[in-house]
């Protein structure tokens, strides 16, 4: 792990201080030692994002279009800017978007796949904070395309079949989708006040819950990939959290989603390591501690405690311990290590264990920002 001795010492001090001041036992999510506060960590990671070129899944060449890990980190930076009241950061994040209206508009992805459509969450957040109608137009187009009729080169027979049943034609039954779809659709409702977006997303979520959640509360990556992959489960945990934050109380699917969320959180408690981390394969104690899933699970627990969906005496300590351990993986450059590389679905246990561990990948940077935001809400 690339860290300075100072940062390593700071991390140890944070853990010791938290254990000794009574906050850890109570699960206090409002007070943290200096160097471990959400304001400090969020600012470091957001500043790192602003200074970073558009990433391309670890490749040295620029991406053809904005990738979903960047979208997730951009969205997290924006929500952190809002909750921390950092107007200068908001201006920097808006400036990053400005070229996409003009000379670099080719970087805007085509919304014909869940990994591309989630991009709409960024302009929808920018609209909510700036009221610039240009952002709303782009974001709404992305959200609408997800529910529109199948179109483009990615259309399959399954696309038509799912669309005919009232689901998005971009359905593929990978658990990753339940952040990609819910993030943009929740954002569309928040930006427009039109609940049809989030109501459709809630219906979609129930379809995924019925298809992929197992009795232990965790999720297979896909029907033919029967493994409890860490980040995949993280996408689901974060996606349910995003949905539950805004889905109306009278939505008939809300109780089903809340129950599935609570069942998952209870299972995650059992699989959390003593140091606060979760693993690349959640239920495999021999697999390696992985930071992106840990960040996503931590975000989901913080959000649940803050909204009263989870018992703060039970889940507050788990979330606090996870946050304090997670930030020890951040190096001197503001990059987090031990992030699972981008991962396709595969029916092979060893495939998941052998994934590369990256440093600074935005799959891992993004959840840090989500956690900082959730702690400040």
């Amino acid at each position: 792990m690339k860290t300075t001795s100072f940062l390593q010492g700071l991390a140890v001090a944070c853990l010791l201080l938290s254990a000794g001041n009574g906050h850890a036992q109570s699960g206090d999510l409002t007070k943290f030692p200096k160097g471990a506060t959400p304001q400090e960590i969020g600012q470091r990671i957001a500043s790192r994002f602003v200074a970073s070129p558009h990433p391309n899944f670890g490749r040295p060449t620029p991406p053809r279009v904005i990738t979903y890990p960047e979208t997730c980190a951009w969205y997290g930076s924006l929500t952190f800017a809002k909750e921390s009241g950092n107007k200068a950061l908001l201006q920097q994040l808006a400036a990053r978007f400005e070229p996409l209206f003009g000379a670099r508009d080719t970087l805007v992805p085509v919304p014909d796949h869940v990994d591309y459509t989630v991009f709409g969450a960024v302009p929808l957040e920018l609209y909510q904070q700036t009221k610039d109608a240009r952002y709303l137009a782009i974001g709404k187009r992305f959200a609408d395309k997800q529910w529109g009729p199948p179109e483009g080169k990615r259309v399959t027979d399954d696309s038509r079949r799912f669309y005919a049943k009232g689901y998005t034609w971009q359905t593929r039954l990978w658990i990753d989708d339940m952040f990609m779809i819910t993030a943009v659709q929740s954002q569309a409702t928040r930006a427009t006040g039109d609940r049809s977006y989030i109501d459709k997303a809630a219906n979609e979520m129930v379809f995924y819950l019925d298809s992929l959640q197992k009795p232990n509360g965790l999720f297979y990556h896909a029907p033919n990939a029967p493994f409890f992959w860490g980040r995949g489960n993280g996408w689901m945990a974060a996606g349910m959290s995003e949905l539950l934050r805004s889905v109306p109380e009278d939505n008939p699917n809300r109780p089903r989603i809340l129950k599935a969320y609570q069942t998952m959180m209870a299972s995650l408690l059992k699989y959390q390591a003593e140091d606060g981390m979760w693993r690349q394969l959640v239920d495999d104690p021999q697999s390696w501690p992985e930071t992106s899933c840990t960040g996503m699970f931590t975000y989901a627990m913080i959000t649940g405690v803050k909204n009263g969906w989870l018992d703060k005496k039970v889940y507050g300590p788990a979330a606090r311990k996870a946050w304090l351990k997670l930030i020890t993986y951040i190096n001197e450059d503001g990059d987090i290590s031990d992030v699972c590389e981008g991962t396709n679905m595969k029916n092979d246990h060893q495939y998941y264990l052998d994934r590369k561990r990256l440093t600074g990948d935005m799959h891992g940077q993004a959840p840090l920002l989500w956690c900082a935001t959730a702690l400040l809400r």
Side-chain angles (χ1 to χ4, degrees):
M1 191 190 321
K2 183 185 176 186
T3 52
T4 63
S5 57
F6 167 77
L7 283 173
Q8 289 173 327
L10 174 62
V12 172
C14 288
L15 290 167
L16 291 174
L17 279 169
S18 100
N21 65 10
H23 295 304
Q25 290 85 345
S26 67
D28 188 348
L29 297 178
T30 62
K31 298 177 181 177
F32 291 92
K34 182 176 174 57
T37 67
Q39 293 91 339
E40 293 168 288
I41 300 298
Q43 185 58 51
R44 283 185 63 200
I45 306 304
S47 296
R48 179 61 166 161
F49 175 77
V50 168
S52 301
H54 299 301
N56 188 17
F57 297 103
R59 304 182 187 100
T61 54
R64 182 179 58 83
V65 296
I66 301 296
T67 62
Y68 73 85
E70 177 176 2
T71 289
C72 293
W74 205 337
Y75 174 55
S77 297
L78 282 165
T79 60
F80 172 74
K82 178 182 178 182
E83 295 303 327
S84 61
N86 192 330
K87 299 296 185 183
L89 175 58
L90 172 60
Q91 291 175 356
Q92 291 175 311
L93 295 166
R96 188 181 181 97
F97 200 99
E98 196 64 27
L100 305 185
F101 288 120
R104 304 211 68 191
D105 61 353
T106 56
L107 281 172
V108 176
V110 175
D112 61 356
H113 186 282
V114 289
D115 288 351
Y116 296 141
T117 307
V118 70
F119 173 79
V122 169
L124 288 168
E125 184 61 34
L126 280 164
Y127 170 71
Q128 290 175 75
Q129 294 193 43
T130 68
K131 302 307 178 186
D132 185 332
R134 296 179 302 165
Y135 297 125
L136 180 62
I138 292 180
K140 191 172 182 299
R141 176 168 63 86
F142 272 68
D144 290 339
K145 285 291 185 181
Q146 198 148 61
W147 300 115
E151 60 179 68
K153 63 183 180 180
R154 299 183 190 277
V155 175
T156 65
D157 289 342
D158 280 345
S159 305
R160 299 184 182 91
R161 179 167 59 86
F162 287 129
Y163 178 72
K165 292 182 177 181
Y167 302 115
T168 170
W169 67 276
Q170 297 177 11
T171 299
R172 60 176 179 168
L173 287 178
W174 291 23
I175 42 177
D176 318 42
D177 305 351
M178 283 296 95
F179 181 83
M180 307 304 163
I181 293 172
T182 59
V184 68
Q185 298 302 329
S186 297
Q187 282 287 87
T189 288
R190 293 166 189 152
T192 67
D194 182 349
R195 65 176 284 174
S196 68
Y197 293 106
I198 202 167
D199 284 343
K200 289 177 183 176
N203 188 57
E204 185 87 15
M205 173 66 79
V206 168
F207 180 41
Y208 274 67
L209 295 178
D210 290 345
S211 301
L212 297 170
Q213 191 172 32
K214 300 304 162 184
N216 69 354
L218 302 180
F219 295 81
Y220 284 166
H221 191 180
N224 57 342
F227 309 105
F228 300 123
W229 173 44
R231 187 164 64 242
N233 275 268
W235 289 126
M236 180 61 80
M240 284 193 283
S241 301
E242 279 294 297
L243 197 62
L244 288 167
R245 283 203 308 116
S246 294
V247 72
E249 291 287 342
D250 64 352
N251 181 291
N253 287 315
R254 183 183 174 88
R256 170 75 177 90
I257 298 167
L258 181 60
K259 181 181 178 181
Y261 162 84
Q262 291 170 333
T263 301
M264 183 187 200
M265 295 300 107
S267 183
L268 289 173
L269 276 182
K270 300 174 186 176
Y271 290 111
Q272 187 178 27
E274 187 61 33
D275 66 356
M277 297 292 288
W278 281 274
R279 297 184 179 278
Q280 165 70 354
L281 288 174
V282 179
D283 63 332
D284 184 348
Q286 302 307 312
S287 66
W288 45 283
E290 201 276 326
T291 54
S292 70
C293 76
T294 296
M296 292 176 180
F297 296 150
T298 305
Y299 166 73
M301 287 189 178
I302 295 167
T303 302
V305 169
K306 293 267 188 169
N307 286 278
W309 312 326
L310 300 175
D311 185 341
K312 65 180 180 181
K313 293 181 180 178
V314 175
Y315 292 91
R320 183 182 177 89
K321 181 166 63 173
W323 168 256
L324 289 172
K325 182 62 178 178
L326 186 65
I327 64 175
T328 69
Y329 285 79
I330 303 171
N331 70 17
E332 61 197 25
D333 296 324
D335 289 334
I336 194 164
S337 67
D338 288 51
V339 182
C340 173
E341 66 179 319
T343 298
N344 287 317
M345 177 272 296
K346 193 169 184 179
N347 189 356
D348 181 353
H349 182 268
Q350 195 62 38
Y351 167 79
Y352 291 92
L353 294 180
D354 291 344
R355 304 308 289 159
K356 293 178 183 176
R357 308 183 202 187
L358 306 181
T359 296
D361 187 274
M362 290 195 185
H363 284 99
Q365 303 290 103
L368 287 167
L369 293 158
W370 304 347
C371 287
T373 295
L375 287 168
L376 293 177
R377 279 193 177 117

